[in-house]
Amino acid sequence: MKSKKLDPITLEIQWKRLVSMVDEASAAFVRTSFSVLVREANDFAVVLTDSQGRSIAQSVLSIPSFIGTLPATVKHFLDSFPAKTLKPGDVMITNDPWMGTGHIHDVNVAMPIFHKGKIIAFAAVVSHMPDIGGRIRNAGIRDIYEEGLQIPRLKLIEGGKPVQALFDMIGQNVRVPEQTLGDIWAQVAACKMLEERLRPLLHDTDLDALGAEIRRRSESAMRKAIRSVPDGVYHAQTQHDGFEEPILINCTITVKGERLSIDYSGSSQQVPRAVNVVPIYTFAYSAFAVKALLCPDVPNNEGSFMPITTSAPLGSIFNPRYPAASGGRGMIGHMMVPAIMMALAKVLPERAIAEGSSNSSITVTGEHRGRPYAAVNFMNAGQGATRQRDGFTMLSFPSNLSNTPIEVFEQMAPVRVIERAIRRGSGGGGKHRGGDGLRFEVEVVADSPMMASMIMTRFRTAPQGIFSGKPGQVGGLRLNGKTINPAEHWVLKKGDRVVMETAGGGGYGKPAED
């Protein structure tokens, strides 16, 4: 039975129902997952789309980039598996960076939801895997073949029956198959939970009409927000540490009426390192920055992003050619957000945020007491300050990853955490100070050698302040007291100590003492 015309009260009730359903599926995923990347780091998203892959609602804790990429992934699945060929019980899978989230370490699954013999929606889940084979994730990797197992768009489950050969292939190519396959099955469980919770709504609601109205209102709000920005061309540049030379991020924003376009021409060319950003991720974090700046309170769905477009020349850092490596794409991709905010700072000074630093991490693998292990520990950094307040300390921005608890990291790998503390004074000065970074020291207690990889952001180039705010301090990485290169892999032995220091955020405004 179709619903009556949606008045604002009914729409709000139905919207809350949808969000609660997706959140319940998200909770089911967390409860059934095997890895700390889901349970502790929050590195995942759950999304409900309509039959065409247009997003309707996502879990509250979803990572910003995944909100933008996962609906696009569903559309890519439909290119390979047209709706008329799909059956109840089908589940599709891929980790193709260009079709998924920008790097192979995230696995995407999507399941069609049928009602009265027709596909009316898709349940989709994406999550960072505990391991994907290959060399462990590192910015210095030179091409995608080094990064691990590539899963093209395939059927994981067909008509309710698992494709055992695919499960066997994945399990054979990863270091911790129990965790990796366990997380993939947890993704399937979350999709089924979302389907189960959605069914009662379908008895008295036209989901297509509901989704269309939600998207229409969000799109209208975003267009109105864009119209409030004066027409013009706005520009900003920032840079990343790079390797032999810094990587330039060149951002040009054109506002015309109710549309906003972002062009990255003039940015560095793609590099033979794992920091390239594919277009699906380029759009996701660009759209997030615009939405966070202009209308953060409007629900996230396809409509929110319709008035926004992005572009970058083929072969550039934001539109690389295959087989570019992209495992550390967040190191560059996260910098698009402050670049966009800096570009619009002159016309939106009350909303702008100074530069901060995205997540750093340490990944360790090996064998201990006869069992293989692979563990990732995320570390957050200082956020930039705003006109209203100091930057937050040790906060994940623009992503929303959590700092991995010490006890969990020590349980997952043979290490002992010596210290995890706020890096006092690392935030840049200003009328409002940048947030402080983190100091993390860990000691190896394994009897056998351990392979380690450290991803460090803002290792050489400091997060900049705005409106005369001071820059934050750069991060640091030392092994047994000696500065080492975060673009290398390291073999650690018992007693070795690694110290990682994340950067502080930039300040806002001229310091009072000046």
Side-chain angles (χ1 to χ4, degrees):
M1 180 179 68
K2 289 189 177 181
S3 62
K4 298 178 182 178
K5 184 178 179 180
L6 290 169
D7 61 87
I9 295 175
T10 301
L11 181 64
E12 180 69 12
I13 291 171
Q14 300 291 54
W15 166 250
K16 295 295 186 184
R17 287 179 70 184
L18 288 173
V19 172
S20 69
M21 293 171 194
V22 185
D23 277 346
E24 190 167 355
S26 172
F29 180 48
V30 172
R31 289 195 300 269
T32 55
S33 65
F34 281 56
S35 75
V36 298
L37 288 160
V38 177
R39 298 195 311 270
E40 304 293 346
N42 191 55
D43 199 350
F44 72 94
V46 181
V47 171
L48 175 70
T49 79
D50 69 4
S51 60
Q52 299 178 50
R54 297 173 298 193
S55 62
I56 300 174
Q58 77 289 316
S59 58
V60 171
L61 295 179
S62 293
I63 284 185
S65 63
F66 294 167
I67 294 169
T69 63
L70 194 49
T73 302
V74 174
K75 296 183 183 75
H76 288 308
F77 277 135
L78 285 169
D79 289 339
S80 289
F81 304 103
K84 63 183 180 182
T85 69
L86 293 172
K87 305 180 295 293
D90 284 351
V91 177
M92 298 163 288
I93 185 172
T94 190
N95 70 344
D96 183 328
W98 279 260
M99 306 292 168
T101 70
H103 70 183
I104 68 171
H105 306 276
D106 296 327
V107 167
N108 306 262
V109 303
M111 183 185 79
I113 298 174
F114 286 78
H115 181 64
K116 296 181 179 180
K118 291 179 57 179
I119 294 176
I120 50 88
F122 284 89
V125 183
V126 57
S127 179
H128 192 134
M129 290 294 113
D131 186 66
I132 202 65
R135 302 182 72 189
I136 56 177
R137 192 165 71 108
N138 181 275
I141 289 175
R142 289 183 171 268
D143 63 40
I144 195 171
Y145 302 112
E146 292 186 52
E147 294 190 297
L149 176 66
Q150 298 179 60
I151 307 171
R153 289 166 286 178
L154 296 172
K155 291 278 189 73
L156 178 71
I157 300 174
E158 190 161 12
K161 295 181 180 180
V163 181
Q164 194 58 45
L166 180 53
F167 280 96
D168 291 345
M169 187 191 71
I170 295 171
Q172 188 70 26
N173 281 277
V174 297
R175 296 174 179 86
V176 282
E178 296 88 356
Q179 288 186 46
T180 300
L181 293 175
D183 277 7
I184 290 174
W185 275 115
Q187 289 178 296
V188 175
C191 288
K192 290 184 176 296
M193 172 66 79
L194 183 51
E195 177 187 39
E196 181 182 323
R197 291 297 181 261
L198 183 64
R199 291 211 172 278
L201 181 76
L202 301 177
H203 293 313
D204 59 6
T205 301
D206 183 337
L207 188 63
D208 282 342
L210 176 59
E213 182 63 11
I214 289 170
R215 289 192 301 272
R216 185 191 69 78
R217 289 175 178 251
S218 293
E219 181 179 350
S220 176
M222 176 57 80
R223 291 186 184 278
K224 180 180 178 181
I226 293 173
R227 286 198 303 271
S228 70
V229 180
D231 282 1
V233 178
Y234 306 93
H235 181 256
Q237 279 189 354
T238 187
Q239 64 180 25
H240 176 265
D241 301 337
F243 300 92
E244 289 75 21
E245 58 184 36
I247 293 173
L248 178 67
I249 293 92
N250 193 70
C251 168
T252 301
I253 301 173
T254 301
V255 178
K256 187 174 182 180
E258 57 184 23
R259 297 198 62 83
L260 185 149
S261 62
I262 305 170
D263 182 57
Y264 293 99
S265 296
S267 299
S268 294
Q269 294 297 295
Q270 70 181 78
V271 293
R273 295 290 193 273
V275 296
N276 297 289
V277 183
V278 302
I280 195 170
Y281 194 84
T282 298
F283 175 80
Y285 260 127
S286 299
F288 164 75
V290 173
K291 187 174 183 304
L293 198 59
L294 298 185
C295 56
D297 298 327
V298 172
N300 288 312
N301 56 67
E302 193 92 0
S304 305
F305 308 128
M306 289 298 291
I308 304 166
T309 58
T310 58
S311 58
L314 182 62
S316 69
I317 195 76
F318 291 111
N319 187 8
R321 292 182 174 89
Y322 184 89
S326 58
R329 87 295 197 226
M331 299 171 70
I332 303 296
H334 288 174
M335 296 179 71
M336 293 186 294
V337 177
I340 291 167
M341 291 187 171
M342 285 192 297
L344 295 173
K346 289 184 178 180
V347 289
L348 298 170
E350 72 285 355
R351 303 184 195 179
I353 303 175
E355 286 189 343
S357 178
S358 60
N359 312 90
S360 295
S361 67
I362 179 171
T363 303
V364 296
T365 65
E367 187 173 292
H368 184 60
R369 296 175 181 172
R371 289 184 61 86
Y373 62 86
V376 181
N377 188 94
F378 286 111
M379 284 155 277
N380 294 331
Q383 185 195 27
T386 72
R387 174 184 275 188
Q388 290 78 28
R389 57 165 176 79
D390 293 346
F392 291 120
T393 289
M394 290 167 44
L395 178 77
S396 177
F397 182 82
S399 186
N400 63 340
L401 295 173
S402 300
N403 286 298
T404 308
I406 291 171
E407 298 83 358
V408 172
F409 189 45
E410 290 180 334
Q411 182 185 35
M412 297 299 295
V415 297
R416 181 168 67 96
V417 177
I418 305 300
E419 180 183 27
R420 189 178 77 178
I422 296 173
R423 193 182 170 205
R424 304 288 182 185
S426 56
K431 182 178 180 181
H432 291 290
R433 293 189 57 85
D436 288 331
L438 172 147
R439 186 182 191 276
F440 183 84
E441 182 175 2
V442 63
E443 180 182 21
V444 178
V445 298
D447 293 325
S448 302
M450 169 187 290
M451 180 63 73
S453 169
M454 286 71 76
I455 285 183
M456 295 292 300
T457 57
R458 300 294 192 176
F459 185 71
R460 299 185 186 91
T461 57
Q464 296 301 300
I466 55 175
F467 299 115
S468 300
K470 301 296 185 182
Q473 292 183 17
V474 297
L477 174 63
R478 297 185 296 279
L479 171 60
N480 298 327
K482 181 182 177 181
T483 297
I484 60 173
N485 186 354
E488 301 290 340
H489 289 83
W490 298 89
V491 178
L492 307 181
K493 61 183 184 300
K494 190 172 185 177
D496 283 346
R497 290 193 178 190
V498 175
V499 175
M500 301 178 69
E501 294 179 327
T502 63
Y508 186 108
K510 190 175 181 180
E513 60 269 22
D514 291 354

